[in-house]
Structure formats: structure tokens, C-alpha cells
Amino acid sequence: MFEQLRRRSRSAGLPPGSPEYVGDHGGEPVSIEMLTYDAGQAEATTPKRLSECACFNDGPGVTWINIDGLHDPGVIKQAAEVFRLHSLVVEDIVHTGQRPKMEELPEAIFVVLKMLKYNEDERRVEDEQVSFILGPRYLLTFQEHAGGDVFGDVRQRILTGKGRARAQGPDYLMYALIDAVVDNYFVVLERMGEDIEDIEEQLLTAPSPVQLERLHGLRREALFLRKYIFPLREVVARLEKGGSELVDDATIVYLRDLYDHTIQVMDTVETFRDMLASMVELYLSNISLKMNEIMKVLAMFASLFIPLNFLAALYGMNFKFMPELDWEYGYFTVLTLMACSATGTLLYFRNKGWIGKKGRG
Amino acid sequence: MFEQLRRRSRSAGLPPGSPEYVGDHGGEPVSIEMLTYDAGQAEATTPKRLSECACFNDGPGVTWINIDGLHDPGVIKQAAEVFRLHSLVVEDIVHTGQRPKMEELPEAIFVVLKMLKYNEDERRVEDEQVSFILGPRYLLTFQEHAGGDVFGDVRQRILTGKGRARAQGPDYLMYALIDAVVDNYFVVLERMGEDIEDIEEQLLTAPSPVQLERLHGLRREALFLRKYIFPLREVVARLEKGGSELVDDATIVYLRDLYDHTIQVMDTVETFRDMLASMVELYLSNISLKMNEIMKVLAMFASLFIPLNFLAALYGMNFKFMPELDWEYGYFTVLTLMACSATGTLLYFRNKGWIGKKGRG
Amino acid sequence: MFEQLRRRSRSAGLPPGSPEYVGDHGGEPVSIEMLTYDAGQAEATTPKRLSECACFNDGPGVTWINIDGLHDPGVIKQAAEVFRLHSLVVEDIVHTGQRPKMEELPEAIFVVLKMLKYNEDERRVEDEQVSFILGPRYLLTFQEHAGGDVFGDVRQRILTGKGRARAQGPDYLMYALIDAVVDNYFVVLERMGEDIEDIEEQLLTAPSPVQLERLHGLRREALFLRKYIFPLREVVARLEKGGSELVDDATIVYLRDLYDHTIQVMDTVETFRDMLASMVELYLSNISLKMNEIMKVLAMFASLFIPLNFLAALYGMNFKFMPELDWEYGYFTVLTLMACSATGTLLYFRNKGWIGKKGRG
Amino acid sequence: MFEQLRRRSRSAGLPPGSPEYVGDHGGEPVSIEMLTYDAGQAEATTPKRLSECACFNDGPGVTWINIDGLHDPGVIKQAAEVFRLHSLVVEDIVHTGQRPKMEELPEAIFVVLKMLKYNEDERRVEDEQVSFILGPRYLLTFQEHAGGDVFGDVRQRILTGKGRARAQGPDYLMYALIDAVVDNYFVVLERMGEDIEDIEEQLLTAPSPVQLERLHGLRREALFLRKYIFPLREVVARLEKGGSELVDDATIVYLRDLYDHTIQVMDTVETFRDMLASMVELYLSNISLKMNEIMKVLAMFASLFIPLNFLAALYGMNFKFMPELDWEYGYFTVLTLMACSATGTLLYFRNKGWIGKKGRG
Amino acid sequence: MFEQLRRRSRSAGLPPGSPEYVGDHGGEPVSIEMLTYDAGQAEATTPKRLSECACFNDGPGVTWINIDGLHDPGVIKQAAEVFRLHSLVVEDIVHTGQRPKMEELPEAIFVVLKMLKYNEDERRVEDEQVSFILGPRYLLTFQEHAGGDVFGDVRQRILTGKGRARAQGPDYLMYALIDAVVDNYFVVLERMGEDIEDIEEQLLTAPSPVQLERLHGLRREALFLRKYIFPLREVVARLEKGGSELVDDATIVYLRDLYDHTIQVMDTVETFRDMLASMVELYLSNISLKMNEIMKVLAMFASLFIPLNFLAALYGMNFKFMPELDWEYGYFTVLTLMACSATGTLLYFRNKGWIGKKGRG
């Protein structure tokens, strides 16, 4: 849960701008994808080396270069050179404990986001950092590891020429990719929502420590989602209203739409948090109710039999001189007395409302 | 409860601006209503096709076109063409998981709201999305399904010429419709308020798991109401203060009034939330009190009889040599001892304040 | 408690600006008071009809017209005509579920407030809506019903010429009346404060469901007070800083003072809310403590006697061959054993800290 | 606790600007101190009448007039005349239920504050209102009663010429006095902090109702401190940034320092509130834990002996025909059975983790 | 925990600007380090007296003077003279209870921060105050005591010429040092995060008072961290956006990066607070669950045997005339009755869901 913190803490002491990767994905090979397109055509290549991408800013079409894997310092260093990146930007790309943010560089816009994925096996949300660098005719994206991104649909739309993606500049491409990331948040949130509904149903029927643990886990998840998602609002707002020349007026209307989606995601996370808090209270109340039930049963059993027991023990004493013992109907008198005592106690409980419709009777 | 989220999540992966309906109302036929009026007269028609509405912007009177049903992509596509709508606007209309919002389009104002209805059978609040597009001489409204809207009174006032509606432009019409939506919120809130008072009364007399479940349900409802209603404040504020040419100065004073109503609705929702939280605490306190009562009864029963029982058991032992057993008044001595013990215990309880006015005696 | 909401909900469906009263005070006759004064003299009359008030704006002195009772649509309609009121203003006056607000009309200032009264019998705060319309030379006030207002002192000061009221314009009069309303809030709050202190004292000595119910009631009251009082801050601030020509510079300094008082009222309501929340926790803690006490007594009684009882029962068995029974000192040995067991148990409890200064011994 | 409110409520109904004292200090005589100084010399006098202070604004040196006691309307009236005070200012001085505030008068600055004192006997914080009126060459201060102020050090520094106080104007003097008030807040807070630490230590060892009551008392104190201290931030900020001619540029840097101190006081009060809330939770948790402990002991005692008791009672029955009773080793068989039952139960408890390291054994 | 407050309270009554140290580190000797460097070379010296540092502002290289130890008034006074510091600045340096802040002095920038260190032995976070004074060509730093600072890496980078530190001005140096302080916060937070995860794991398995105490301790730590870290955001923001001439444009981009880190630290502290609050609830819920378990065992044991015991006691009575006692199969009838009673009770419990998968069976 605190991987983020651990990664961040690992980089303490390094000089500012160190390009050393502090994430957890190490062994996989770095892979590069290059997509060049304009309104008329689109072409995808997978260059072996970054030096083949040096033409990234030559236009006239749009160039999208996607790099999967941040653990190889050589590759990162080369990328910094080829794409002329400031050392702090490189640091932000490889130090994967970043908070989502947007920064205007002299000739580009730099955006860091978190992609989320619901891990069905461990029932928890996983995050992966994506960085975007938007230039006049190009878009660079950096992901922590290959596979599992949410950019497939966009890539497909560009290659097949579907949608308006191909006729637009790299700013629209960046919008489309961020939109895909945010759309995926909804998928993750829906998955969490199912979990919440699931637990909610069980809470009222059978409170058990298992649910408590899951509730606590979900609250933790919601806390972390919030940390990743809330800064995004500002990122999108600044893209929309920043007035950068790199963002076309035609794209602004799409960014406004994206902004609305971001707000919706935030609303949902907050609603989850409120609901989970309410559910913990429900849980506690239910435990208390069950306890009441248990104690009521115990109190009634005990209170009913204790006086009877006493009477029985009384006449079990071995005193020489106990006149009742010699009465002919002593035994039956005592039995009657016991019946009266039991009836009285039961009436007392009925009077208190402990038994009745749902009591033991 | 998470239908909203589910609908939203369903549309992930679609390209931006897809006109596919993601709501739950599918089978009903789409119905169109057209109302043209000016100060002098009013006429209602129900065109079979949207193409008959092409005159919507020709004036000089006001044209209100209301479309019920969003599930038919053909109709939606046609509407987009006839009314010249931007693809993102179409998307917002059919993707019914929207947050209430207001957007200024080049020549129109676009507003999305939620209509609420209290479903008496399932005791829960249902929502339906309404979209408004306000042009210079026309107003378009889109609802998820026919029937159950709250626009009947306004329609009637226009047709009968009552009120000032007919002499005003489409901006006043939009105000009147939104006002009807907000007025209806009060009806829904009153219904919830009755539920709250209902539970409140029972809470103090007989806490049961049923009420707890209903309390939890109401808190959830309040959370969702809040999500639908709070963004409305901004929508109305922007209509009032936005300075759009489409909104007449004479309408502004009405919008200010509407704004006040929106604030009142928000206040009420917040008050509900505070009250429900306070009621959960009340509930928990009451359970604890009942538990105290139960334990007090048990403790008194047990503590009263346990020493007596011991004495009885003591003289029930079968030792050969137990001098007390042979005393002539041994039995009565023990009975006296028992009476003393019982009196002492009762005095101890009275001293502790456990018995007295409301004790068992 | 939700009368407010009920009244509001009743007016849903009416066209905007309907002058129908939705409050609860119906049967009383409407009464009109007119007070005209200038620095030199003051005169009070009680006109039978509103038409006699048509001179309200003729000056040169100040005219204050106070109307008690809003339930007669005829009177209200007449008032609208005589005083030339916008239909929305009339609606706000008669729809008594208003939130306090201030509105600048073309030639007047419109203010709606709530007067509060502590009902000693039902131990709850009652509200009554007051509306002010401030013109260049006049002030109109509308109250829901006659009697029980807090304007007596101001009226008296004007008639007797005491204070600076008579030499000032109607803006000072309005200030003085609102000040009287706010001053009265302090009286209501003090009364609630006494209740709170009352309960607080009892909480620590004898927690009972009665206090819990009263605590819950007070929290509800505080919630509603907040709803009535908090918007007032903005009303007064806008009067003070609004820069309206109707408010004289000399009055501004008084309004600033009023503003301070409003803040004090808000502070007090917030403090009440915090204290009540803290008291509920105190209450819960106290119940838990009492429960601990009860259980300790039960646990000690039971644990002390259970082993003794067992020993007694053991030697109450009727086996043919039980050597101990025939020992001469068997009985006394068992008694000694019991004494040891009891001592051991008591030492164990003392060791656990359950008995000592305040234990049972 | 609600003296503040009571005082405020007492003044309801009075006309605005009434100079009647509503505090609790009545009998003491009003005392006046006058201190005139410049860089070269300083002189303290104690005039009998206010008329002797008429030279307060004549300069060239600085005049500081301090009045202790606000209950004599004659003196107050005279002060208003001599110092030419607006009636609302006089009201604010004598109505001691003020919220700290700063107001710019035409030729002076008016500041109201609360001095705090920790009453060691009653273990609670007491407040006293101080008002400052800063003119071009003079400073007036009004306190509720003589003695117990925190101005001694400043007075001494002026008289002895130590520090930079004497060379500065009355604005620096006011700063120094407010600084002394704020410094004293730290003393009060430290005293409360000790109380908090005191209780905290006991909480973990021996939760008792006494601590609960003190905790509740401290929370109440913190609430009231907050009410007195938080408005001070704004007062100091407005002095610093207000740009009044009465405040010299050289003094501004000191006011900024004072501002930092005020923020620190606020931070501390908030931290106290958070800690106290956390301690109440700790307390509740601890009670629950103790309860668990008690119940565990009871459950083990009872569960251990109940089956044994049953066996003993079984063979205490007086049936004619009970074969076991006649067995030679019946008694020992039963004893063995009992030992097995006890062992089984204990193993069951050990298995549940109830006994072990800290169990009863 | 309240050392901060105690130190602050100690300085109450002193005149503003007193240079007396109020921290806890007294006996160590004051040590001075001087580092002069430019792009070409770097030289470290340790002057014995402050007078040797008088050349601190002579350039052309950068001079960094670090003073460890604030307890010697002579040294502090000398520093004030040599470096021409305002008395309030000196006070802020030695009064170590400061809130982090940034102040623009006429020719320098003054920054106060807190360095944090996790004390592994006492498991708590310790703080040390660091003050920075940034001039055109110099940087002064003051620490409470020698050793344990986090500036080693920066010092090393300057001396070895690694990184860009040496080619930059003193503003970059200050940035690098503050960055080191903030980086170290991550280390402290990670350590706390480990503690939190540690406790979290135990909470679900074995709730004990030890964890409760540690939880409470961590909450207290989080409160204090917050107090130290949150003002830092403003400090860095003002450095970045303040537009001071002392801060070079090239440094601003680094400060923005630092700002992001500060926000991350704040986010983490808030997440910790939320998690700790959630864990306390988890703890309470778990205790309640355990209690339920205990009571269920007790209730079942007691309810099972109480009726059996009664039957046994009944036939242990010594009445002369008890027909059942003489029946041949009386004993076995009673045994059967007992078996039936026990079975019935067990079925009742199974029906209630108390036994079954995880019950006692």
C-alpha cells in the first residue's frame, strides 16, 4: 500500500534531476512504438533504438512515440538527449511516485497521470504512471511497463481512420489518451462499487470479521484513489484554461467534456468514502444489536431458572427439623411455587418488551 | 444504486461523441411534442418525424420541442442533424450518467438536469435525465422516457394562456421548466422528511434492525440526492450571471428566485444528512442503554440468588458430622440468614442507584 | 420540524409569483399599523384598510407600515397594488418557507428574516417570517401573525422620542428592527444554553433515555437555527457593503455593529453544535462505564460463589462410598477450603484492580 | 460557561449604543492610570478623575491612559465625553460579550480583545475583555477590573527605559500590549497542555469517570478558547495590512511577528481539539477492552464450573434407583469425569486464545 | 510532546526581539562551518570565531556559513552584529518553537523550517529547527545542535563538484538544502508508514491495549507532523512566486519541483490521518466482535446447563413424599428429559445462527 512512499523515499539523497528509476518493474525489455499519421494515412513502426525517432518533430504529420519501460538508465538518458528533455522532467518520468501534475515547459506541455487497474485476484486497485510530453507536432508517452495500457482503442481508431482523431493535431491525441485513462477510472470504480454493494448486502444479514476487513481495505483503496484522482481535476482545468498555443481551440471543447468526467469521478470517490463510513457504522450497530440479542437470551434463561434452582436447593438441605419436608403436599406446593415464579418472571420480561413477537416465549 | 456508474462505465472505450444511449429505458417508442406560441395564441402538435420540426428556429413565436426517449440511435442522429448539434452535446444527452451542468454553445445554451421521483413502492428516489437546448426562438428538451415528467403544469399554463409564460421568450420557458423540476425536489424531500420523522419516532421506543436498515438506506439516498442537486446551484448561478444574450433581463429576476430555491434544496439535503447522522448515534446510544437495562436485570437476579443458593447447597452436604444440621432452629436460622443476605444485596443495589423509581424492587 | 419543507412543498406546481399563503396561521384577522414620524413628532394609527396607506411614500417624515397576518389573499393582493410590489416579492412574503435573503429591487430593498421564539411549554424554538421593504421614505414590514413580535421596544423609542431613532431615516428604522430580531436570538440561545447546561449536569450523574431524547432534540433545534441564522450574515453584509442609496452612511456604522452581532450568534450556534456532539460522546462513554460497573459486580459475585457452590454440591452427592463424608472434621475442612477459595478469588480481583477504594469488598 | 451569552442576552432590548455594563465585576472602584513618555523620560500618575486626562492628545510625547473597571455608568459617560467616543464604541467597551474585533474610527483605531487567565483552583480558563483606542499620540485601554492584567512587563519597560518601547509611538505600545496578551495565551495553553498530558497518562492505566469529566471540560474550554482566539488573527492581519496612518511602517514588521504568534496559538488550539477527540476515542476503546477482560473472566469461571456443578447436582438426586451411586468407585469416577471436563474446557479456552500469556490459567 | 509549547511559553514576558535561546540543547559547543565556492573550486573551513566570517558578502563566489548550536547568547549576539540581523530575526532563530515561515527582509530572505528525524529507540519523530538567511552572494544556516543534519549530501556534491550545485548561486544552494529536508520527510513518513502497516496487520488478529496505545501515539505524531509540514507549502510557494531578485529564474523551475514534493508530503500526512482514524474504528469493531464471541460462549454454556441443573436440584430435594423418586425408571426418565432439554437448547442456538460452521458444536 505504501509502495508509492517507499519508491519516493528511496530517491531521497539523490541530487535533483537524477534519472534513476525507482519503480518496481525491472526485468522487462524497453519497447518503443512510433505512430505517424495525418488526415490521409497512418503508419505504425516499432523502432529498435531511440535514435530512429530523431525525426519526431519534423512533421508535417503527427508523430506519437510511446515508450514502455523506465528501468533502463541508458534508454532514459538517450531519450533525454533525443527529445531534449530537462533533467527535472526526466526525474519526474522515472520517479514513479509522482502526484498527477501538468507543467508548461518552454516548448512543450508535460503531464503526469496514473492509470488504474483492478486486480481481480488480489481484489485491489493497481496503479501505473504515464507521462505525456506534448510538442507542436508530436506526442511522447512514457509508461512503466509494457502491456495493460488503455490506449488500444485510440491506437486502433487512428490506424483505421475511424473517428475524428486522425484529422486533428497531437493535442487532440493527448486529449483522447487522457480521456481513455479517465474512462477506465469509471470501470475501476464500477468494480469497487460492486464490491461495496456486495458487502452491504451481507452486512445486514451476517456481520463477520471478514467483511470488516474488506470494508477497511476498501476505505484504504478509496483513500489512495482520491490521492491519484483529485489532482487530475487541476491538470485538466489548466490544460483547458491555460491558453497554451499547443492546445487548439477545437480541442478545448473536448477538454471541457473531459473536465466534467473528472469531476464525476471525484464525486463518485467521495460518495464511496461517505458510504463506506456509513457502512462501518451500520456494522457496529449490527454487532451491538446481536449482542443485545445474546444477552437477552442469557438474561432470560438465567433469571427464569435461578429462583427455581434456589427453591430446589432450599429443600435439598439436610436439616433435621424442616417442617415442610414432612408435609404431605410439600412437594406439590413447591412445584406450584416454582410455576408461579416462572410465570411471574416471564410476565416481567413480556412487560419489558423482551419477549413477544420475536422473543423466545 | 450505482446504475449511474454502470451506465457511465458501459460507455468507456467508445470514441468521444458517440451517440449511443446507455440508460435503462429501451423498449418504449420515441415521442415528439411541438408547442408553438406567442402572446396571442398557442398550438400543440405531435409530429411523427423530426424532419417536421425543421422550422424550429423560424419564429416569430416561440417553439418548444420535447423528445421523450433516447434509446433509438436513428432518432438521435436525425435530431443531431435537424437541430445542428455538436457530437459532444449529443453524447451528453444520451449518456444519462451526466452530472448536472450548463454549457454555452456558439448559438445556444445547453443544460443537463436530473428530475427526481419518489417511488412509493420501493421507497426510494428515482432519477431521470432532462437536457435543455435554448436557442434564440426555440427550446429543445430531451427526456429519457415518456410520462412522469413534471412539465404538465407549465404546458397547461401556456396552452390556456394563464400566467405570464406565453408573453415571454424561450428563456422564460426554460426557467419555468427548471423551476418545475426544482419545485418537485421539494416534494421528494418532503416525502423523505416524512420517512425520517417516522423512523425518529420509532427509534426512541423500539430500536430494531429494520430501522437501522432504513436509516442506512436514507443516508444513501441523501448522498445521491446531493450528487444530483449540488451542481445545480452552479448551473443556475451561471444562467443568472452569465450575461448570455439568450437570457433576457426580465428573466434574470426569476432566475435569482430560482437560485434561492436551489440553495434551499441544498440546505435541506444537508440538514437531512446531519439529522440522519445524529439519528444513527441516537440509535447506538439507545441500544447501549437497553443493554445496560438487560445486564442490570441479569446482574441483580444473579447476585441476589447466588449467595442464597450457596447457603442452601452448603446445608445440602451429606457430611456425617455437621453440627448445624442437628440444631433445632438450624433451618430457621439459615432462612433468617438468607433473608439478611437478600436484604443486604438489595440495599447495595439501591445504594448504587440500580433500583429505585424504575427498578424491579 | 419539517413544517418549513411542508409549506414549501405545498406551493410546488403553482406558477411563479403566486400570492397564496402557505403558512400555518390562518384564522386571525389581518391587522395594520401605521407610524409616521420625524425628528419633531410621531403618530401611530391603525388603518382599517390598506387603501388608507396610499400616502406611504409622500414624506417628508418617515412612514412605517406593519402588516400582521398573511393568510388573506385579498389583503395581500391589495398590498401588492397599493405598494406596487413585484409578484415574486409578494410570493416571497407569503411563502413563509423562505431562506433569509436580501434583494435590491428597482426602488427599494427587500429583506426576509426569521424571528425566533422559545416556546417554554413544548421546549422548542418557533420561527416566524418577517419581510421588510425599505423605500426612500418608508418601511413596510410583513409578519405572519399578530402578537409576539420583538418590535415593541423600537416602537416605544420612536413614540417617546428616546434614542436617536426619530431623527433618522427609514434605513435606521430597519436597522433597529433587524437589531431587535438579532438581539432576540441571543435570548433564545441563552434559553437553549440553559437547557444544555442542565442536561450536561445530569449526564455525569444519571444517564437516562430522557436526556438522550432531549440531546437529540437540541441537536435538531441547533440544525434548524443554523439554517435560519447563517444566511443572515450575508444579508447584513450586503446591506452594509452594498452601496445602495437607500442606506445612509450614518447607518452603515450601525450595520457593521449588527454584522458583528450576527457573527457572534453564528459562533454561538456552532459552539452549541460542537458541545452537543461532545455531550453525546460523553453520554455514550458514561453508559459504557456504567455497564462495566454492572458487569464487574456480576462477575465478582458469580466468580466468588461458583467454586464454593461447586464444593457444596460435590459433597451433596449421594454416593455410597465417599470417604470424606465420614471424616470427623470433613465439614470443617470443606469450610476452610471454601474460605481459601473465596480469599483467593478476592485477591485475584484486587490484583486486577477491580476492588479496592470503590469495590464491594 | 455561558456567562458571555448571558451578558449579551441581558443587553437585548436596550437601544443601540447603551453604555450600561453587563459584565460580572461590579463592586470594585474604577481606577485610572496615566503614563506619559517620550524617548527621554517617562512619568506615571494616577488621576482621580477623568477630567484630568483631557490633555491626552496634546503630545508631543505619548500618553497611555488605562482604565480598570467598567461598571460605573458615570465614569463611562465621562470617558465618552472626555475622549469623544462614538456611542457604539462605548457600547462595545462595556458590553463585555464582544467577539475580538478591530474597527477603524474616523481618527482612531478601536480594538477589542480577550485576556485569558488559568484559574488554578477551579481548573478553568477565565477571560477578561480589554479594549484599545489608538490615536495619533495616545492609547486608551479599558479593562473589566483592576489587577491581574498582563501589562506589567510593558509598563516596567517603559518606566525603566529598557527595550525600544519608549522611543516609539503609541502604535508600538499597542503592539507591545497585544503581544503581551498573546504571549499569555501560550502560558494558558501550556497549562492546558499539562492537563491533557496528565489525563492521557491516566487514560491508559485506569479509565475512570473523573477523567471523562475532565476531558469533557477541556473540550469545552478548547471550544471557548477558539471562539476568543480565532477572530484575533483577522484583527492583527488588518492592523498589519490595513495601511492606516496611525500604524507606523517600523511597527508593521513587529505586527507581522505578532501575526505569526497568533497563527501558532490557533494551531495549538486546533491540535488540542484533535488530541482531545482522539483521547475520547482512546478512552472508549479502553473501556471496551476492560469490559472484554471482565467478561472473559466471568465466562471462564462460569463455563468451567457449570458442567462440574451439573455433575455434582446429578448425583445429589435422591432417586431410589440410581445404579452409579452404589458403585464402589462411583465417586472417583465422577471426580475423574469432572477433571476431564475442566481440562477440556480449559483447552477450549486456550484454543480460543483467551488464556495463555495473560490469562487466568 | 508539548516541548514546542513549553519553549514558547518560557519566552512570554520577554521584550520582543530577545535573543535568548529557549530550546533544549544547551551544553554542546557552538560550531561554525564556512564553505566558499564557485564553478571552478570549493573550499571548506571551520572558523573559530564569527568575526572571521565578516567577508561573507564579499563574493565573487558563493559563501555558505552554517552555525550549529543556538544556546550561547554571546555567539548569537555576535552573529547578529557580523551579519547585521534585525532583532526579530534573531529572536525567530533562537526561539525554536517557530512555525515554518518565509519573510522578505530588506536585503535578504529569511526562512525557518523543521528538520525531522525518526528516533528508533523511542519510536517517535524528533524535530530540529533550521533557519536560512539568503543574501545576494551568501547563505547563512542556523541549526539547534551539531550532528544529525541532512545536509551532508549537498555539502559533498559541492566539494566534489558533482551535480550542478557549484555553478549556481546561493539561491540554488538554499533550494538544494530545503529539498534535502523535504526528501528526509519522506524517509520519516516511510518509517511511520511501516509502523502503521505493522499495527494494521496485528489489529485484525489480536487486538490488545498495546496497539491502541501505539495507534494513539501515531495519531499524535501525525498531528504534530502536520503542524510542521503544512506551513511549508506556503513558504515554498512564496519563494517560487514571490518574484524576489534574490531568486534566479533558473532556480524557479527547481522550486516548482520542490513545491510538488511538499504537496506530496502533505497528501501523505493526510492519508495517514485518515487511515489511523479508520484503524481506530476497525479496532473498536474488532473488540466488539470478540465480546460477542465471548458472550455467545457464556450464553450457550449457561443456557445449556441451567435447565439441567434445575432438574437435578429438583430431584435432590428431601421431601418425604416425592412419587417420582420411588419410580423404578425415574432416574432414567430424568436423564432422558435432560438429554431432550439439551438438544432443544442446542437446536434453538443453531436456529439463531449462533452455532454451525464456527460455533462450539
Side-chain angles (χ1 to χ4, degrees), chain A residues 153 157 164 172 175 179 183 186-187 189-190 193 197 200 204 253-254 256-257 260-261 263-264 267-268 271-272 274-275 278-279 281-282 284-286 288-289 291-292 295-296 298-299 302-303 306-307 309-310 313-324 345 348-349 352 354, chain B residues 1-2 5-6 8-9 11-16 86-88 91-92 97-99 101 103 208-209 212-213 216 219-220 223-224 226-227 273 280 283-284 287 290-291 293-295 297-298 301-302 305 308-309 311-312 315-318 324-326 328 330-332 334-335 338 360:
Chain A
D153 288 322
R157 283 207 297 273
R164 72 180 59 69
Y172 183 86
Y175 149 74
D179 193 50
D183 264 9
F186 285 106
V187 177
L189 286 177
E190 199 207 340
E197 281 190 318
E200 203 174 25
L204 291 162
V253 60
Y254 290 96
R256 199 172 308 142
D257 199 61
D260 289 339
H261 295 176
I263 300 277
Q264 259 180 283
D267 275 5
T268 307
T271 305
F272 279 6
D274 282 342
M275 283 191 61
S278 168
M279 279 162 76
E281 280 189 4
L282 181 66
L284 278 170
S285 312
N286 234 8
S288 292
L289 266 181
M291 177 79 94
N292 261 16
M295 295 320 294
K296 230 186 260 177
L298 175 57
S303 309
I306 279 175
N309 244 1
F310 167 65
L314 191 71
Y315 293 106
M317 292 196 296
N318 294 324
F319 283 101
K320 283 268 152 63
F321 184 65
M322 286 178 69
E324 296 96 326
T345 312
Y348 171 64
F349 289 147
K352 271 193 131 35
W354 291 3
Chain B
M1 139 186 143
F2 291 130
L5 193 57
R6 233 164 263 143
R8 189 62 195 70
S9 156
S11 69
L14 297 179
H86 191 281
S87 64
L88 280 179
E91 191 192 75
D92 285 345
Q98 289 304 317
R99 202 172 173 262
K101 69 171 176 178
E103 233 167 80
S208 82
L212 193 58
E213 201 172 339
H216 180 68
R219 290 180 94 176
R220 220 168 46 184
L223 273 178
F224 280 82
R226 201 172 161 226
K227 231 173 110 180
R273 275 168 48 90
V280 170
Y283 184 85
L284 279 170
I287 294 177
K290 296 246 175 239
M291 177 80 94
E293 196 66 12
I294 292 170
M295 295 320 294
V297 169
L298 175 57
F301 259 86
F305 283 102
L308 309 189
N309 243 2
L311 278 179
Y315 293 106
M317 292 197 296
N318 295 323
E324 296 97 326
L325 294 183
D326 300 322
E328 194 170 355
Y331 176 48
F332 299 103
V334 162
L335 283 186
M338 285 173 171
R360 194 194 63 102

Side-chain angles (χ1 to χ4, degrees), chain B residues 29-61:
Chain B
V30 175
S31 78
I32 308 167
E33 276 173 306
M34 185 156 73
L35 198 65
T36 43
Y37 63 90
D38 54 28
Q41 50 85 31
E43 189 197 348
T45 55
T46 52
K48 288 273 168 277
R49 298 149 191 283
L50 276 164
S51 50
E52 299 172 33
C53 304
C55 57
F56 70 103
N57 200 14
D58 294 352

Side-chain angles (χ1 to χ4, degrees), chain B residues 34-291:
Chain B
M34 185 156 73
L35 198 65
T36 43
Y37 63 90
D38 54 28
Q41 50 85 31
E43 189 197 348
T45 55
T46 52
K48 288 273 168 277
R49 298 149 191 283
L50 276 164
S51 50
E52 299 172 33
C53 304
C55 57
F56 70 103
N57 200 14
D58 294 352
V62 175
T63 308
W64 170 23
I65 298 171
N66 179 46
I67 295 166
D68 286 329
L70 307 169
H71 52 278
D72 185 337
V75 174
I76 295 301
K77 212 175 157 193
Q78 209 181 351
E81 276 165 27
V82 172
F83 304 126
R84 275 155 276 151
L85 303 176
H86 191 281
S87 64
L88 280 179
V89 169
V90 174
E91 191 192 75
D92 285 345
I93 290 173
V94 296
H95 286 183
T96 52
Q98 289 304 317
R99 202 172 173 262
K101 69 171 176 178
M102 179 266 196
E103 233 167 80
E104 285 196 61
L105 309 178
E107 297 194 343
I109 287 176
F110 175 51
V111 170
V112 182
L113 293 186
K114 295 286 174 184
M115 274 193 298
L116 300 180
K117 197 160 52 172
Y118 192 91
N119 184 324
E120 291 286 346
D121 297 332
E122 305 184 22
R123 271 190 164 161
R124 55 186 218 83
V125 179
E126 286 172 350
D127 66 282
E128 180 186 351
Q129 182 167 311
V130 207
S131 309
F132 298 82
I133 292 169
L134 171 70
R137 300 305 310 154
Y138 64 89
L139 179 73
L140 312 178
T141 53
F142 295 86
Q143 304 182 42
E144 282 190 63
H145 53 96
D149 71 11
V150 294
F151 296 164
D153 289 321
V154 178
R155 208 177 279 123
Q156 214 49 38
R157 282 207 297 275
I158 291 174
L159 287 173
T160 59
K162 235 172 68 180
R164 73 181 58 70
R166 224 150 82 176
Q168 312 280 330
D171 52 337
Y172 183 87
L173 176 60
M174 184 167 81
Y175 150 73
L177 294 176
I178 298 181
D179 192 51
V181 168
V182 173
D183 264 8
N184 197 49
Y185 290 171
F186 284 106
V187 177
V188 168
L189 286 176
E190 199 207 339
R191 204 52 206 74
M192 271 184 76
E194 279 170 22
D195 260 31
I196 290 176
E197 282 190 318
D198 208 34
I199 296 174
E200 203 175 25
E201 226 165 90
Q202 294 169 32
L203 267 196
L204 290 162
T205 55
S208 82
V210 180
Q211 292 149 28
L212 193 58
E213 201 172 339
R214 279 181 67 198
L215 264 185
H216 180 68
L218 280 167
R219 290 180 94 176
R220 220 168 46 184
E221 297 281 308
L223 273 178
F224 280 82
L225 280 188
R226 201 172 161 226
K227 231 173 110 180
Y228 292 151
I229 294 175
F230 274 40
L232 188 60
R233 195 193 59 79
E234 209 198 321
V235 168
V236 178
R238 286 182 58 199
L239 282 175
E240 183 204 335
K241 287 170 197 149
S244 164
E245 286 178 9
L246 293 167
V247 180
D248 200 75
D249 281 358
T251 309
I252 299 259
V253 60
Y254 290 98
L255 287 172
R256 200 173 306 143
D257 198 62
L258 178 58
Y259 183 82
D260 288 339
H261 295 175
T262 314
I263 300 279
Q264 259 180 283
V265 173
M266 283 168 58
D267 275 4
T268 307
V269 173
E270 281 306 278
T271 305
F272 278 7
R273 275 168 48 90
D274 282 342
M275 284 192 61
L276 288 166
S278 168
M279 280 163 75
V280 170
E281 280 189 4
L282 181 67
Y283 184 85
L284 279 170
S285 312
N286 233 9
I287 294 177
S288 292
L289 265 180
K290 296 246 175 239
M291 177 80 94

